[in-house]
Amino acid sequence: MNFRGFAARFALVAACALMTAVPAQAKGMFWQCATYARAISGVDIHGDAWTWWDQAAGRYERGEAPKLGAVMSFQRTARMPLGHVAMVSKVVSDREVLLTHANWSHRGGVERNVRAVDVSAAGDWSEVKVWFAPKGDLGTSTYPVNGFIYSNGEPKGDWADKPEQMASLDLDLSDLVPEAGIN
């Protein structure tokens, strides 16, 4: 085998190895909010997002105050029949947090550190507005919230500092021509 054949095979093996090492999101995985929240928050609840609040009773502390790593549990509505869950990645003030969540602005996509603002009259986080990327601002809709589910430990992973996608290996193999007799 000559150098070009070896280089082509090496590039193919390297590309295959990178595909298994790159996070699922970078490979185009479609994330549901519940699956993603469970993966990063340490709150081990399964099922549709609207069921999380009741499932957390007796297993996790729940409350009205946002805390780092807590899961904000959205109620289900006609527009959001499966509810929604998102992890608090930063508490900015008593009426503003940053959320890390999936399947909100872009179908199946992940958003990190996006604004959510308490717009409830009582200041109890029972109603919020959330950053909506296509608008480039808080959305025009308000969403009812059950409250916060507090994890029994630290959030998982390096979600706060992680870029949207890891760097990939770009290989230009266009000038490689297969040689006769090489399988």
Side-chain angles (χ1 to χ4, degrees):
M1 173 184 325
N2 66 19
F3 178 75
R4 291 186 98 169
F6 176 77
R9 287 185 181 175
F10 176 79
L12 181 60
V13 169
C16 289
L18 278 176
M19 285 192 293
T20 61
V22 176
Q25 169 190 342
K27 289 191 268 182
M29 182 170 175
F30 181 96
W31 282 103
Q32 293 289 343
C33 67
T35 306
Y36 189 72
R38 181 176 52 255
I40 65 170
S41 72
V43 174
D44 189 21
I45 295 177
H46 295 258
D48 291 335
W50 72 270
T51 68
W52 279 41
W53 185 253
D54 289 338
Q55 287 189 62
R59 292 177 58 195
Y60 295 93
E61 285 186 55
R62 303 180 304 172
E64 296 176 355
K67 294 180 184 176
L68 178 66
V71 172
M72 181 186 284
S73 170
F74 291 72
Q75 295 177 20
R76 67 178 171 173
T77 64
R79 289 183 56 209
M80 205 166 51
L82 299 178
H84 187 69
V85 286
M87 188 190 72
V88 176
S89 46
K90 182 177 183 178
V91 177
V92 177
S93 71
D94 61 340
R95 303 281 304 249
E96 182 178 346
V97 297
L98 299 183
L99 297 176
T100 294
H101 61 164
N103 206 20
W104 185 265
S105 293
H106 302 287
R107 195 165 150 76
V110 170
E111 295 175 291
R112 291 183 178 84
N113 301 318
V114 297
R115 286 182 71 207
V117 177
D118 173 18
V119 294
S120 64
D124 61 2
W125 287 93
S126 60
E127 191 172 29
V128 297
K129 283 191 171 199
V130 179
W131 173 266
F132 188 63
K135 185 173 176 18
D137 199 356
L138 293 175
T140 55
S141 300
T142 58
Y143 299 93
V145 172
N146 294 309
F148 298 91
I149 302 169
Y150 308 116
S151 117
N152 292 337
E154 291 296 315
K156 299 176 184 177
D158 57 351
W159 47 266
D161 301 320
K162 196 181 244 183
E164 274 307 306
Q165 294 185 347
M166 293 181 65
S168 63
L169 177 62
D170 291 328
L171 300 172
D172 180 10
L173 304 177
S174 61
D175 66 333
L176 295 179
V177 179
E179 294 184 2
I182 295 179
N183 298 357

